[in-house]
């Protein structure tokens, strides 16, 4: 079953080679799980006095993020959308191209009657599957994104404009709220990264510094825990490498 699940996970790519995301969700996620594991270990030590060994790995995070594709059971049908050209799960949950861009429709079968009342979508209630998708594709192509989103939301359906990543990173709201950050990196100059999404009232989350070259923070970290006098010995033993390793 595990082998079948792994094969199903690979098939999600569809035809052609996998394509990397512009922002490394798996890398960020591994850092978060590592920090979470340390916090849990410290809590456990505080409660019990016992220490714990924790670890994190890119493979762990990748499996967690894609865990739904590891689940196999009797009656499971491996029919999830796949490939880089996948638009959604079905005609009522997918991307559509309008005259001036793309929009995402999020509706249920119970919303078909409401869709049928939207000017330009008449006849939708009698269709299903590929016929419904073709009907909606032709209809949405005749109007603008804003026109369709406004009409669909007014009808009680979910709909929003699909934006490119660069557009989202340039959005004034994202910049003002720290979701898009442009900062100076010691090796590469100005770089742009995603910011911290959680909003916690009692323990606000603050973005850290851009990733530095591996090992370069060793002196300051050791100083914080009173071990700065051991730096030379740790470097000599190969525990730390502080020179000649470029940032990735």
């Amino acid at each position: 079953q595990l082998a079948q699940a792994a094969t199903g996970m690979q098939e999600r790519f569809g035809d052609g080679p996998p394509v990397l995301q512009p922002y490394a969700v798996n890398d960020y996620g591994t850092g978060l799980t590592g920090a979470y594991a340390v916090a849990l270990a410290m809590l456990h030590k505080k409660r019990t006095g016992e220490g714990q060994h924790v670890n994190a790995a890119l493979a762990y995070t990748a499996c967690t993020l894609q865990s739904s594709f590891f689940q196999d059971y009797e009656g499971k049908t491996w029919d999830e959308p796949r490939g880089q050209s996948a638009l959604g799960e079905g005609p009522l949950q997918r991307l559509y191209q309008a005259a001036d861009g793309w929009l995402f429709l999020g509706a249920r079968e119970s919303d078909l009657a409401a869709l049928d009342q939207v000017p330009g979508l008449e006849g939708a209630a009698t269709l299903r599957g590929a016929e419904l998708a073709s009907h909606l594709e032709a209809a949405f192509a005749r109007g603008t994104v804003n026109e369709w989103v406004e009409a669909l939301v007014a009808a009680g359906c979910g709909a929003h404009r699909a934006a490119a990543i660069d557009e989202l990173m340039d959005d004034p709201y994202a910049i003002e709220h720290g979701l898009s950050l442009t900062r100076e990196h010691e090796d590469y100059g100005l770089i742009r990264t995603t910011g911290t999404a959680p909003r916690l009232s009692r323990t606000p989350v603050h973005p850290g510094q851009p990733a530095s070259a591996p090992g370069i923070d060793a002196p300051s970290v050791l100083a914080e825990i009173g071990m700065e006098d051991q730096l030379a010995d740790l470097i000599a033993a190969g525990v730390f490498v502080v020179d000649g390793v470029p940032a990735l």
Side-chain angles (χ1 to χ4, degrees):
Q1 286 186 336
L2 181 59
Q4 181 179 348
T7 301
M9 192 167 139
Q10 289 179 319
E11 288 180 352
R12 301 286 80 75
F13 292 120
D15 297 329
V19 177
L20 293 175
Q21 299 185 69
Y23 298 96
V25 175
N26 195 44
D27 290 357
Y28 294 164
T30 302
L32 290 171
T33 56
Y36 185 52
V38 170
L40 290 177
M42 293 175 66
L43 177 62
H44 180 77
K45 186 176 188 304
K46 181 178 179 181
R47 289 179 172 177
T48 67
E50 299 175 351
Q52 288 190 339
H53 174 80
V54 301
N55 58 60
L58 294 172
Y60 297 169
T61 310
C63 291
T64 300
L65 295 175
Q66 301 177 88
S67 58
S68 61
F69 303 126
F70 277 106
Q71 307 300 318
D72 192 19
Y73 50 85
E74 185 177 355
K76 168 66 177 178
T77 302
W78 299 93
D79 59 353
E80 297 88 352
R82 65 191 66 200
Q84 302 301 324
S85 60
L87 299 175
E89 296 182 351
L92 297 177
Q93 293 284 337
R94 56 160 281 188
L95 290 162
Y96 285 97
Q97 188 170 16
D100 61 345
W102 289 79
L103 64 100
F104 188 88
L105 169 66
R108 298 163 295 187
E109 192 164 332
S110 58
D111 296 322
L112 281 171
L115 279 177
D116 205 274
Q117 299 301 310
V118 176
L121 301 184
E122 296 86 354
T126 63
L127 303 175
R128 299 292 186 277
E131 290 185 345
L132 176 58
S134 296
H135 177 74
L136 294 176
E137 285 176 356
F140 288 139
R142 295 192 289 267
T144 68
V145 170
N146 288 340
E147 289 171 348
W148 285 119
V149 169
E150 182 177 347
L152 291 166
V153 171
C157 300
H160 64 81
R161 182 173 61 87
I165 289 179
D166 285 343
E167 184 180 353
L168 292 174
M169 295 297 284
D170 289 333
D171 185 88
Y173 179 93
I175 295 173
E176 180 183 353
H177 289 77
L179 300 175
S180 173
L181 299 177
T182 300
R183 295 176 290 173
E184 185 76 26
H185 191 282
E186 59 185 0
D187 292 332
Y188 300 108
L190 289 178
I191 61 170
R192 184 166 66 172
T193 64
T194 54
T196 55
R199 294 290 185 266
L200 307 176
S201 59
R202 290 192 297 172
T203 55
V205 180
H206 301 287
Q209 296 299 317
S212 55
I216 201 170
D217 297 317
S220 61
V221 172
L222 289 175
E224 287 182 7
I225 58 177
M227 296 177 60
E228 60 268 31
D229 58 329
Q230 300 184 36
L231 177 61
D233 292 338
L234 292 170
I235 293 176
V239 176
F240 290 123
V241 178
V242 296
D243 296 313
V245 183
L248 298 178

